[in-house]
Each structure stands twice: as structure tokens, then as C-alpha cells.
Amino acid sequence: MAFSHIPVLLNETLAGLNINPDGIYVDATFGRGGHSREILKRLNKNGRLYALDRDLSAIEAAKSIADERFSIVHARFSQLKEVCEDFGILGKVNGILMDIGVSSPQLDDASRGFSFDKDGPLDMRMDQSAKIDAALIVNTYDAKDLAYIFKTYGEERFAGKVANAIVRQREKTPFTTTLALADLISASIPGKPGPKHKATRCFQALRIAVNSELEELKSALDGSIDVLDKDGRLCVISFHSLEDRIVKTFIRENSEGPKLPRGLPITDEELAELKLKSCTLQKISGAIKATDAEISQNPRSRSAVLRVAARLGRSL
């Protein structure tokens, strides 16, 4: 079954990458290839695009790109540095794109278990070959660990209440489907239904836990420093505050230099030189968000945030 996918912040991302037709680019989260196909259009015969994805469905979709300038591997984007080393492009890449989070085809396919709107198996694995799925977490983690997941990754106010309800219910009947879990979560959270489904935060939290998404993001960002060539661009699209906070902090810490105590006997010139030696990135933009026109065409772009940075002088 084919599922539609509209690449978010497409024009803004292409501008952020500042594409060199001869350049080498990496799409670390291929998805259904919307961004990748547009990058390829802007490369000449010498340009190259490498892609990664841990979703086997995405790897299958990539077979539709018959282009000798394009290569894709089944890998987590935390393996970015390792993959680039295998391809012999470490330190030579002109641009990296990371489009973080769940994709539209994953949400729309009930069999993947990401959505509380459609009944399906309680799965949520981005990599179908992974061992841990949402059912395992929901049916085996104790109430304390479940509450931690819902509170930390979903920022759910009633995390403890939901966790305790899950533990009580699973003693009678283990959870196997998305709607059964969504109904239990909704019934456990006080208040009337609002525009946002009551299970939204808990489902987000479970998905993040199943796929170790925040740890994956941190590892991918750390690896990007060694992957990029001088002046190479890093473009990261995130969809919720936990991800965006990690990206924002990473760029700031690698672009502002060390925090020195006040009153040190150091001149402005020496401070500038120290910053030049210690910084690896230059911040290109703050938070870039979708226009009203894009949101009207693709409502899922409403929460998207793009941040762009550039690699400073190489230290390799």
C-alpha cells in the first residue's frame, strides 16, 4: 500500500543546505525521499547523495530512485559517522539533513502501531528488525518506569495515574492493540476531551522510548562534526520541544566557545582566538517554521522547526 508523504520545510531546507552542484550530501533520515529527490535535482553529474534510514519500508521505497549518484543503507542515523567512514566521505560532506521523528507513512499505516486514531498492533518500531516494541514496554515495565517515560518523554501531567492504570489493567488482559491502550489512557486522564487526543503525549513518549529517539539524535549530532567539510551545512528538522531543545543546545555549545569566568586577564583578541580554536560550528539560523501556506497544505508541518549551522575550520 502506498502512503503519501509531503516533505516539510522543503524550500527552507534546500536554502539552508546551500547546495553546491558538485557537492557531497547526506540525508540521514530518508523517509520516503521527498527531500532527497529535490537535492538530487540540484546536483550535477559529479555530485553525490548518500542516505540512511532504519525503516525497512523506507529502504524499499528508495529502490524507485534509479540514479548512480545516489546510495542508501539500512542504518540508524546515530550511525552517521560510521556510515560516512565506510563510504570514504568522512570530513568531505557539504551538507547533512536530519528530519527527525515519525514520518507520515509510519503514522498512516495502522499496522505500524504509531497512531491512536487507527487500530493496529502495539508496535511503534521504526526499525522492524528491532527487538523492543511498545507492547513489551507497556506489558512488562513497572509503574515507576512507565511513569518516568510518560513524564520525561511526553511531559504528561498525569503520568503516574496513567502508569498505575496500565499496570492494573494488564493484570487482567495484556495490551496488544493501539486503540485498547489509547482508550485506557483517555479514561485515566481527568477532564473533558479537547482538540488534542488525551493519549497524544503518552503515545509520543512510548514511541521515543521504543526507538531511543533522543539518544539517537544526540549521537547523530555529535557525529556530524567529523562528517562535515569546512563550511558544510547541518540542517535539522524537529517536531517537538524535546528534540528542538537538544538541537538548539548542540548548536549553541559548539558555536559560542567556552564559558570563561569574569575578570580573567585576557584581551578581546585572545578571547576571539580562543573561540576560533574551540568552536566547530557557526549558527546560520534560529528556529525556522512553516509558513501559513505550507501549514494549510500540510497540517503536520505546523510543529516543524528547522535549525541550520555550518562547520567551521576542520580539526581533523
Side-chain angles (χ1 to χ4, degrees):
M1 184 181 296
F3 295 94
S4 63
H5 175 65
I6 304 173
V8 301
L9 294 167
L10 178 60
N11 293 329
E12 294 84 351
T13 299
L14 294 171
L17 287 171
N18 192 30
I19 294 175
N20 172 5
D22 289 315
I24 299 173
Y25 293 86
V26 177
D27 184 345
T29 49
F30 179 80
R32 289 302 181 269
H35 291 101
S36 280
R37 288 178 172 84
E38 293 301 321
I39 292 171
L40 280 169
K41 289 178 183 179
R42 289 157 176 78
L43 298 178
N44 63 25
K45 64 179 182 179
N46 297 316
R48 292 293 182 271
L49 174 62
Y50 299 88
L52 293 72
D53 208 295
R54 58 173 161 176
D55 189 333
L56 294 171
S57 299
I59 300 300
E60 184 66 26
K63 292 180 180 178
S64 64
I65 301 181
D67 193 318
E68 62 182 10
R69 302 171 302 166
F70 173 75
S71 301
I72 189 168
V73 294
H74 178 228
R76 303 185 309 276
F77 74 117
S78 62
Q79 298 172 286
L80 171 67
K81 181 177 176 179
E82 176 185 332
V83 169
C84 289
E85 191 168 19
D86 290 343
F87 278 120
I89 57 173
L90 195 63
K92 302 176 182 178
V93 173
N94 301 105
I96 299 169
L97 168 61
M98 300 179 190
D99 184 358
I100 311 303
V102 65
S103 68
S104 294
Q106 289 170 334
L107 283 171
D108 294 337
D109 184 354
S111 70
R112 300 299 299 275
F114 286 100
S115 176
F116 43 74
D117 291 327
K118 306 176 182 69
D119 202 15
L122 198 53
D123 193 327
M124 300 191 190
R125 292 173 299 169
M126 291 181 177
D127 181 351
Q128 299 94 319
S129 66
K131 294 180 180 179
I132 297 177
D133 62 10
L136 178 68
I137 291 177
V138 168
N139 290 310
T140 65
Y141 283 29
D142 63 28
K144 182 179 179 181
D145 289 337
L146 287 173
Y148 175 84
I149 288 171
F150 296 146
K151 179 67 175 178
T152 305
Y153 299 147
E155 299 177 311
E156 173 55 61
R157 289 175 55 205
F158 300 99
K161 193 175 183 68
V162 172
N164 288 327
I166 287 174
V167 171
R168 287 194 301 270
Q169 180 61 35
R170 78 189 188 194
E171 290 176 355
K172 304 173 186 175
T173 307
F175 290 92
T176 58
T177 66
T178 53
L179 288 190
L181 179 62
D183 289 345
L184 184 281
I185 293 172
S186 295
S188 304
I189 296 176
K192 296 180 180 179
K196 179 183 287 188
H197 195 291
K198 286 185 178 182
T200 300
R201 294 181 183 275
C202 290
F203 265 62
Q204 172 188 294
L206 276 174
R207 191 200 81 216
I208 291 173
V210 167
N211 299 289
S212 302
E213 291 180 37
L214 302 187
E215 292 79 10
E216 286 282 311
L217 176 56
K218 291 173 185 176
S219 295
L221 291 171
D222 288 341
S224 70
I225 297 293
D226 290 337
V227 169
L228 288 168
D229 195 359
K230 183 179 182 297
D231 299 324
R233 294 293 183 91
L234 173 65
C235 293
V236 186
I237 302 171
S238 59
F239 288 86
H240 58 74
S241 59
L242 295 175
E243 294 170 339
D244 184 53
R245 197 176 304 132
I246 290 172
V247 177
K248 181 179 179 180
T249 300
F250 174 79
I251 293 175
R252 184 183 69 242
E253 290 179 347
N254 285 278
S255 62
E256 292 185 354
K259 298 294 184 183
L260 300 178
R262 292 183 178 180
L264 282 182
I266 184 172
T267 65
D268 290 342
E269 290 77 13
E270 289 171 331
L271 181 60
E273 184 178 357
L274 179 61
K275 180 177 180 180
L276 184 63
K277 289 180 178 179
S278 61
C279 291
T280 53
L281 293 176
Q282 176 188 357
K283 176 181 173 182
I284 300 298
S285 78
I288 299 173
K289 299 185 179 182
T291 62
D292 291 341
E294 179 174 1
I295 292 171
S296 65
Q297 180 186 17
N298 180 17
R300 286 176 179 165
S301 68
R302 183 184 305 277
S303 57
V305 177
L306 168 67
R307 295 185 186 273
V308 183
R311 181 67 161 92
L312 293 175
R314 302 233 11 112
S315 58
L316 294 179

